[in-house]
Amino acid sequence: MWVNAYDSGSLEVAGTIYDNLPGVCTGLRVATFHFDRIHIQRPYPDDASLQLLTTHPLHQTSSSTLEMSGQLVWLITGTSAGLGRLMTLEALKRGDKVIATARGRSVEKLNELKEKGADVLELEVTAPLETLHEIAKKAVAIHGRIDVLVNNAGYLAGGALEETTPQETYDQFNTNIFGALNIARAFLPYMRPRKTGTVVWIGSIAGWEGIASAGLYCATKTAIRSLSMAMDNELQPLGLRSMNFEFGYFRTTFLAPSQRTESTTRIKDYDAACGAAAAALAAYDGKQPGNPVKGIEVMVDLIRGEGVAAGRTVPHTIQFGSDTLKTVKDFCAETTSRIEEWEDVFASTDFPKGT
């Protein structure tokens, strides 16, 4: 059994909120307690006597580790294949509840997940916000809450930036960014009052690269990192958090032709650069170094604050895969070297000191 204490003067006992308790320090979750038995003595709250009679407290974790303890309720977008499907299966294996979603034409692919115990909903991330609010209401009604909201749906739009049309550009950002933001807007109203929960974004190694023929996708993944950081700063005072998982090249179906689109226009001048990059991505399919099963296992550990994350402060941005680590390190080293070489010029644009 678990108890969350919040600095708003509330206790949450196994999912039930008891508000306005005198003597409980006053949004943030300040601690999570685990007991093997909890008894709540009433009356409550007339005489302000809520007693937790416990035996053998197992452990306490501070808000620095943000341990997501007990049975969690997940809602994951894009679960018909790849990381979303594996994430659903791993969360179910941990004993959690999962609402697996997919767009209409893919929802029948969720039958296996339903057989494994997942709840299934049709959800198109690019639907109008009003529609997403209705879906969120329906989703929350299934288990009474959402603890972990995962923005996983996305795709890669191929083509040189000049080749891609305004509509193709909008569609890429609409799925990967605008839709994901609207998903958060639809579900956060149900998460904020509970003052606990996690919004998860799926970033990418591409957010640190400028890949010819995949510039739009790279831009969306760079944007995800900034959005998640800003959202984390906004949510932390409310007791929630935002996490961004930047995966490298993992051996899923993501690089398969069916998982990406190509621009409807072609400019011959870009054939050499973009054609070579697109061919390299296609040739890499099935040879990626990342193990998706292992990656998802570690990801769920970090979200739940257990396994490899037990007793550790979990960062809000996480890079997975040796290729991602090398890419980020090289990016940071090149940036530092450039700044050091040009520091006198870059810093010369300030007003004189003291003015």
Side-chain angles (χ1 to χ4, degrees):
M1 189 75 74
W2 51 270
V3 178
N4 286 326
Y6 302 103
D7 68 6
S8 60
S10 302
L11 285 181
E12 180 181 13
V13 182
T16 300
I17 298 286
Y18 298 88
D19 293 315
N20 305 316
L21 299 180
V24 180
C25 63
T26 73
L28 280 174
R29 179 177 61 180
V30 295
T32 297
F33 302 88
H34 294 255
F35 301 99
D36 65 1
R37 181 169 63 87
I38 293 178
H39 174 68
I40 301 175
Q41 180 172 314
R42 308 253 181 176
Y44 162 78
D46 297 335
D47 65 354
S49 63
L50 183 145
Q51 298 177 357
L52 297 181
L53 307 179
T54 68
T55 58
H56 306 300
L58 303 179
H59 63 277
Q60 172 185 345
T61 58
S62 70
S63 58
S64 62
T65 60
L66 282 171
E67 181 176 354
M68 299 294 290
S69 306
Q71 185 183 67
L72 302 181
V73 179
W74 300 58
L75 185 134
I76 308 172
T77 66
T79 60
S80 63
L83 297 178
R85 174 183 172 276
L86 293 174
M87 206 181 308
T88 300
L89 293 173
E90 182 62 26
L92 290 171
K93 189 171 74 173
R94 306 281 180 112
D96 290 344
K97 300 292 187 181
V98 181
I99 302 171
T101 75
R103 53 189 172 177
R105 70 188 190 198
S106 301
V107 73
E108 66 180 19
K109 297 179 182 179
L110 305 184
N111 289 338
E112 177 204 1
L113 300 179
K114 188 175 182 179
E115 291 171 0
K116 299 281 187 180
D119 297 282
V120 171
L121 277 182
E122 180 179 333
L123 189 158
E124 171 57 70
V125 299
T126 60
L129 181 56
E130 295 77 14
T131 301
L132 294 177
H133 276 301
E134 291 300 315
I135 295 173
K137 183 179 180 180
K138 181 178 179 181
V140 170
I142 295 174
H143 297 292
R145 69 185 196 276
I146 299 295
D147 299 303
V148 184
L149 176 66
V150 184
N151 278 313
N152 173 70
Y155 74 98
L156 188 158
L161 293 173
E162 185 184 354
E163 290 178 331
T164 50
T165 67
Q167 186 62 52
E168 290 167 342
T169 302
Y170 173 78
D171 290 344
Q172 175 76 116
F173 277 82
N174 197 26
T175 296
N176 292 12
I177 297 295
F178 307 146
L181 275 172
N182 279 340
I183 292 292
R185 290 167 178 143
F187 282 90
L188 280 172
Y190 298 96
M191 300 172 75
R192 282 187 285 102
R194 299 184 63 247
K195 303 186 186 301
T196 183
T198 302
V199 178
V200 175
W201 303 76
I202 304 301
S204 171
I205 186 175
W208 296 88
E209 299 176 312
I211 304 171
S213 81
L216 293 178
Y217 179 76
C218 294
T220 63
K221 294 305 180 178
T222 302
I224 279 175
R225 183 167 60 256
S226 293
L227 288 172
S228 180
M229 290 171 63
M231 182 170 283
D232 192 58
N233 288 333
E234 294 165 356
L235 293 179
Q236 283 282 356
L238 308 179
L240 292 84
R241 61 179 174 173
S242 178
M243 302 178 73
N244 171 32
F245 291 85
E246 298 183 323
F247 283 79
Y249 292 96
F250 278 67
R251 207 167 296 179
T252 68
T253 59
F254 187 74
L255 292 182
S258 61
Q259 300 298 309
R260 63 178 187 269
T261 64
E262 296 295 335
S263 176
T264 56
T265 59
R266 279 287 177 267
I267 299 174
K268 189 171 180 57
D269 286 347
Y270 293 114
D271 284 353
C274 293
L281 287 176
Y284 210 29
D285 186 25
K287 302 180 179 67
Q288 302 96 316
N291 180 340
V293 173
K294 181 62 177 176
I296 291 300
E297 287 176 352
V298 175
M299 178 181 176
V300 175
D301 274 354
L302 294 175
I303 292 171
R304 292 183 56 84
E306 61 191 25
V308 298
R312 304 180 68 176
T313 300
V314 178
H316 58 68
T317 300
I318 296 103
Q319 284 85 28
F320 278 163
S322 58
D323 51 356
T324 308
L325 297 183
K326 183 180 185 305
T327 296
V328 174
K329 287 179 179 179
D330 289 349
F331 182 98
C332 293
E334 190 278 330
T335 301
T336 301
S337 176
R338 174 167 25 91
I339 289 174
E340 289 175 348
E341 179 183 354
W342 288 87
E343 186 169 10
D344 59 327
V345 176
F346 292 172
S348 68
T349 56
D350 291 353
F351 284 111
K353 291 186 181 300
T355 63

